[in-house]
Amino acid sequence: MKEQERLIRLAEECLLREGKERPELVWLKGIYERFRADCGLLGKSEADSLIFEKMYSRAPEKASDVLKIRYWRTGRHVPADRTQLLSFGKALNMDCRELDYFVKAYYDKSRWVFGPGMEKSREYLTCRRFMDGMIEEYLSKIHPGRMLQLKISRIRLENNVRHLYYTDALKYIHVDSQRIQKSLDCHITSINYGSELSRTLRLEGEIPRKTMIRHLFICKAPFINRVYMDTWLEEMGYLPLTEEHTLTGGESLDWLLIRLLELYEECCTGKEPEHCMRWLQNACRILDEFFEERGKNSLRFMYFKALKE
């Protein structure tokens, strides 16, 4: 079977996996039933009211006050932010290990979120060294011919990370060649991505796991595989690629990525880096086009909003 056909087959199977209950939600429901049992086999309404009271230090005044608790425990909605998520988890009497899983697997974020005053923390310094090293490695692989094409000198390379990253990202999504050439010719096309990329490189605030996966693909390619990806994700506080893991919307992105990397290794082991890079970019474009045509932007793992401009 041709590689393109195999990729399409994987994408189709990925979509077929949707509609099932998230494994992470099955786990959360187990935590909820344990809470009810520990509280004397409370009914669900009483348990929801108690969780609300533990979270907000007051009793619910009307039935609608506890509606979001029911939505969260049944998976209809996910807490809007980390503060709500952790408060909900603690109200359910989760221990530290369970809270860590709740954030990394159920919420699909890093165990750490960094803000003002945390710049000297051990965790921040470790993650920042990794991020800085990744960008340094990325820049070291920029070919002199590409710098000439983009009108960038080696001494100004670090000042052009935004445009280099943006134009590389375009090569991984379904977009016409004229669009790519226009971006190469005009640096202003990437300017809208500047603030977001700077914030991410400084590790400020919530950085979605899917965003980190994209960074790893762009900055580490072509020298990537499943083992490396798992190590890098764990180093940054994220869940490693996990067969049964789903996004908060229930999509099986990890399942797809694991098989993409297996196919990449099968087709490119022993090949020149340039060949490997072309293969990986083409494979991602095929998948991106497939999911774009079906309106499944959540599975377009190399796509981000600034690329739409």
Side-chain angles (χ1 to χ4, degrees), residues 131-132 134-140 142 146-147 150 152-169 187 190-191 193-202 214-215 218-219 304:
M131 182 66 80
D132 290 347
M134 181 163 63
I135 295 301
E136 183 178 349
E137 177 185 341
Y138 170 63
L139 294 177
S140 72
I142 303 298
R146 183 160 179 236
M147 290 190 290
L150 293 175
I152 295 173
S153 67
R154 175 63 67 178
I155 60 174
R156 296 179 58 245
L157 203 54
E158 290 187 7
N159 297 330
N160 289 273
V161 171
R162 181 202 78 216
H163 195 63
L164 290 164
Y165 184 99
Y166 184 90
T167 51
D168 270 341
H187 284 220
S190 64
I191 197 167
Y193 186 55
S195 59
E196 181 183 344
L197 180 62
S198 295
R199 180 184 64 80
T200 300
L201 297 183
R202 293 194 301 268
R214 168 168 39 90
H215 282 304
I218 291 177
C219 297
F304 53 95

Side-chain angles (χ1 to χ4, degrees), residues 52-106:
F52 180 93
E53 187 171 349
K54 292 180 69 175
M55 288 182 65
Y56 300 104
S57 300
R58 64 179 178 85
E61 298 176 357
K62 49 187 182 298
S64 59
D65 284 346
V66 297
L67 191 59
K68 64 182 176 183
I69 305 297
R70 177 156 60 91
Y71 285 168
W72 290 344
R73 67 170 171 79
T74 58
R76 185 168 177 177
H77 294 298
V78 173
D81 55 49
R82 182 181 293 253
T83 299
Q84 283 189 336
L85 182 86
L86 291 176
S87 180
F88 182 46
K90 291 174 182 176
L92 284 166
N93 298 331
M94 291 185 189
D95 60 28
C96 292
R97 180 182 56 83
E98 291 167 338
L99 283 171
D100 190 58
Y101 179 83
F102 199 33
V103 171
K104 294 196 303 183
Y106 180 84

Side-chain angles (χ1 to χ4, degrees), residues 138 146 161-175 179 183 188-201 207-219 284 288 292 296-309:
Y138 170 63
R146 183 160 179 236
V161 171
R162 181 202 78 216
H163 195 63
L164 290 164
Y165 184 99
Y166 184 90
T167 51
D168 270 341
L170 280 172
K171 299 172 185 175
Y172 286 87
I173 68 167
H174 176 234
V175 64
R179 167 82 183 282
S183 296
I188 199 171
T189 56
S190 64
I191 197 167
N192 289 339
Y193 186 55
S195 59
E196 181 183 344
L197 180 62
S198 295
R199 180 184 64 80
T200 300
L201 297 183
I207 301 175
R209 181 171 176 265
K210 190 161 61 172
T211 298
M212 186 56 62
I213 287 172
R214 168 168 39 90
H215 282 304
L216 292 171
F217 264 81
I218 291 177
C219 297
C284 289
D288 187 77
E292 180 188 27
K296 299 297 296 184
N297 280 346
S298 56
L299 287 167
R300 298 179 67 194
F301 60 96
M302 296 303 291
Y303 174 82
F304 53 95
K305 187 177 179 180
L307 294 178
K308 187 179 180 180
E309 301 301 324

Side-chain angles (χ1 to χ4, degrees), residues 245-259:
H245 174 64
T246 60
L247 304 181
T248 56
E251 301 88 351
S252 297
L253 179 60
D254 277 34
W255 181 92
L256 179 68
L257 291 174
I258 289 169
R259 280 150 185 80

Side-chain angles (χ1 to χ4, degrees), residues 32 35-36 42-52 69:
Y32 178 75
F35 173 81
R36 289 178 60 205
L42 284 178
K44 292 181 178 180
S45 295
E46 292 80 6
D48 292 349
S49 295
L50 179 57
I51 292 169
F52 180 93
I69 305 297

